[in-house]
């Protein structure tokens, strides 16, 4: 790799996925969900140590989260924390981040990632990330990392690899977005990979593919050239980079990611990323489980005691107690939509 590696990190969020612990001012990436006292966003940037230094990490977040993001990541230059004028999904956010990186370094290659993942091995992650960065440069392509699945999961998108392109690289036959349970099982048997959202590209290739395939972005790119960020976000149509670039481009290659990975999408995910007791209960804070199995307890204030239960999620935070099942934890947004404003909108 002759280009200089940079990271573009998506670090926004509405704060609803881990309610009532998460709030708009403290969304998922700012919570220590996978390890005591270490927010996911901090762990994500530390994961790059030795591959990409903090001064070459650019984070895109919401205006309300800028101060806390800078506080949590003092080694990242303040000017590297970019505040979106409005939320417009990942396509515009990454177009802006990539443009900002290219302005600072015309020889850059970009690794795109989210700030709220759990990864089991930093070394394994970096091996795959470097392979993706190398491929972005050597193949002049958009690179996607597909993680080897450990189970059929309906909350993830899938990549069906195509034929080999070079050592460790394949074409992409198709992307499948969040299939049902039967389809997910079929995809895993056929060798499909989880679409992790770990990407790599050169700024030139990203721009060229946007101009060729993403009218939602292309018409607004001249505003970035004129340093009119507000005008760019006002002009774009919200679109995910998976759609604007990866599903439409013919210059996509795939790297298989051989590392433990989880996007920590629901309270039920804590059973995959945190240690459990002998009865498979995951307990954080002053929680006590008697004659109970497969239960998640998170206590930020007070004490929670359960007895004789199975498969529950019990959360006590910000003066609210949530009791649901691990299966229903994925439907938290649906629950929140039915709650009164003064209960749902915690500060």
């Amino acid at each position: 790799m002759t280009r200089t590696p940079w990271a573009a990190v998506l670090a926004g969020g509405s704060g609803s996925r881990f309610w009532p612990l998460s709030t708009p001012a403290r969304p998922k990436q700012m919570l220590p969900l996978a390890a005591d006292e270490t927010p996911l966003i901090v762990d994500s940037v530390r994961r790059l140590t030795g591959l990409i230094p903090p001064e070459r990490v650019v984070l895109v977040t919401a205006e309300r989260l800028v101060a806390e993001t800078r506080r949590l990541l003092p080694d990242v230059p303040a000017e590297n924390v970019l505040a979106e004028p409005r939320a417009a999904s990942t396509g515009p956010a990454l177009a802006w981040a990539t443009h900002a990186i290219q302005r600072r370094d015309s020889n850059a290659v970009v690794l795109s990632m989210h700030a709220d993942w759990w990864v089991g091995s930093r070394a394994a992650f970096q091996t795959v990330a470097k392979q993706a960065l190398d491929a972005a440069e050597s193949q002049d392509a958009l690179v996607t990392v597909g993680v080897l699945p450990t189970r059929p999961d309906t909350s993830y998108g899938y990549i069906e690899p195509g034929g080999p392109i070079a050592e460790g690289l394949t074409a992409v036959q198709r992307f499948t977005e969040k299939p049902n349970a039967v389809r997910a099982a079929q995809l895993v048997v056929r060798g499909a990979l989880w679409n992790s959202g770990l990407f790599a590209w050169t700024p030139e290739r990203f721009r060229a593919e946007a101009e060729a395939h993403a009218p939602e972005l292309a018409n607004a790119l001249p505003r970035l050239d004129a340093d009119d960020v507000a005008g760019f976000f006002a002009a774009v149509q919200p679109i995910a980079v998976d759609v604007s670039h990866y599903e439409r481009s013919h210059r996509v290659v795939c790297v298989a990611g051989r590392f433990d990975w989880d996007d920590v999408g629901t309270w039920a995910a804590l059973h995959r990323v945190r240690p459990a007791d002998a009865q498979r209960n995951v307990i954080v804070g002053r929680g006590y489980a008697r004659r109970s199995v497969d239960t998640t307890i998170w206590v930020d204030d007070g004490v929670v005691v359960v007895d004789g239960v199975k498969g529950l999620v019990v959360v006590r935070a910000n003066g609210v107690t949530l009791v649901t099942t691990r299966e229903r934890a994925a439907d938290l947004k649906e629950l929140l939509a039915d709650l009164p404003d003064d209960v749902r909108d915690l500060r």
Side-chain angles (χ1 to χ4, degrees):
M1 184 167 57
T2 58
R3 286 181 176 246
T4 306
W6 286 69
V9 183
L10 295 166
S14 63
S16 62
R17 300 178 80 180
F18 282 84
W19 185 91
L21 179 64
S22 61
T23 67
R26 194 174 177 237
K28 180 176 75 163
Q29 72 270 18
M30 293 179 173
L31 301 175
L33 293 173
D36 293 336
E37 300 181 2
T38 305
L40 293 175
I41 192 172
V42 174
D43 193 44
S44 293
V45 174
R46 287 178 180 170
R47 191 176 302 129
L48 298 169
T49 301
L51 179 65
I52 301 173
E55 60 267 23
R56 296 205 303 269
V57 175
V58 171
L59 297 107
V60 184
T61 190
E63 180 66 45
R64 71 180 186 279
L65 302 176
V66 168
E68 182 65 4
T69 300
R70 289 172 174 166
R71 187 189 71 81
L72 290 172
L73 298 167
D75 292 337
V76 174
E79 62 270 20
N80 285 19
V81 181
L82 309 180
E84 290 179 288
R86 71 168 177 128
S89 195
T90 58
L94 289 168
W96 181 27
T98 300
H99 178 82
I101 288 169
Q102 188 177 32
R103 280 288 181 92
R104 301 180 195 187
D105 183 352
S106 60
N107 194 46
V109 60
V110 179
L111 183 75
S112 169
M113 54 186 277
H114 291 251
D116 54 6
W117 295 336
W118 170 85
V119 169
S121 167
R122 178 187 298 183
F125 172 86
Q126 289 198 8
T127 296
V128 173
K130 186 176 185 306
Q131 187 179 4
L133 288 163
D134 287 340
E137 180 178 354
S138 65
Q139 302 297 317
D140 187 22
L142 303 173
V143 181
T144 180
V145 173
V147 172
L148 297 174
T150 57
R151 64 191 181 278
D153 196 311
T154 60
S155 64
Y156 294 158
Y158 288 76
I159 302 167
E160 293 187 63
I165 292 175
E167 184 176 357
L169 302 178
T170 66
V172 172
Q173 183 177 348
R174 71 175 57 88
F175 292 95
T176 300
E177 182 62 21
K178 296 182 180 179
N180 61 31
V182 172
R183 178 68 171 148
Q186 292 171 341
L187 287 166
V188 171
V189 169
R190 288 166 50 178
L193 307 170
W194 283 336
N195 187 3
S196 69
L198 180 62
F199 302 130
W201 51 66
T202 65
E204 296 86 353
R205 178 49 53 199
F206 188 93
R207 172 86 178 228
E209 297 307 295
E211 291 175 339
H213 302 293
E216 299 89 347
L217 301 175
N219 296 333
L221 289 174
R223 301 194 183 210
L224 282 184
D225 298 335
D227 293 324
D228 180 10
V229 174
F232 170 76
F233 274 90
V236 295
Q237 297 176 42
I239 188 169
V241 74
D242 307 66
V243 178
S244 67
H245 284 65
Y246 282 85
E247 292 182 9
R248 297 175 179 175
S249 173
H250 303 292
R251 301 186 66 94
V252 177
V253 300
C254 180
V255 174
R258 291 174 171 80
F259 54 86
D260 293 330
W261 168 88
D262 201 293
D263 79 346
V264 198
T266 72
W267 280 112
L270 266 59
H271 267 75
R272 298 192 296 268
V273 303
R274 277 186 173 265
D277 65 19
Q279 287 71 46
R280 303 186 302 279
N281 301 305
V282 172
I283 302 174
V284 179
R286 295 192 66 190
Y288 301 90
R290 177 175 180 267
R291 297 182 299 189
S292 300
V293 296
D294 290 326
T295 290
T296 300
I297 303 173
W298 187 293
V299 188
D300 246 24
D301 56 79
V303 180
V304 168
V305 178
V306 300
D307 183 22
V309 303
K310 179 180 181 180
L312 290 188
V313 171
V314 183
V315 183
R316 173 68 186 180
N318 293 311
V320 174
T321 302
L322 168 70
V323 181
T324 186
T325 64
R326 287 175 59 186
E327 290 76 16
R328 293 291 299 174
D331 300 322
L332 198 53
K333 289 186 178 181
E334 179 182 327
L335 166 66
L336 292 178
D338 290 337
L339 293 178
D341 292 348
D342 62 335
V343 175
R344 177 185 65 242
D345 297 333
L346 301 173
R347 293 291 184 264

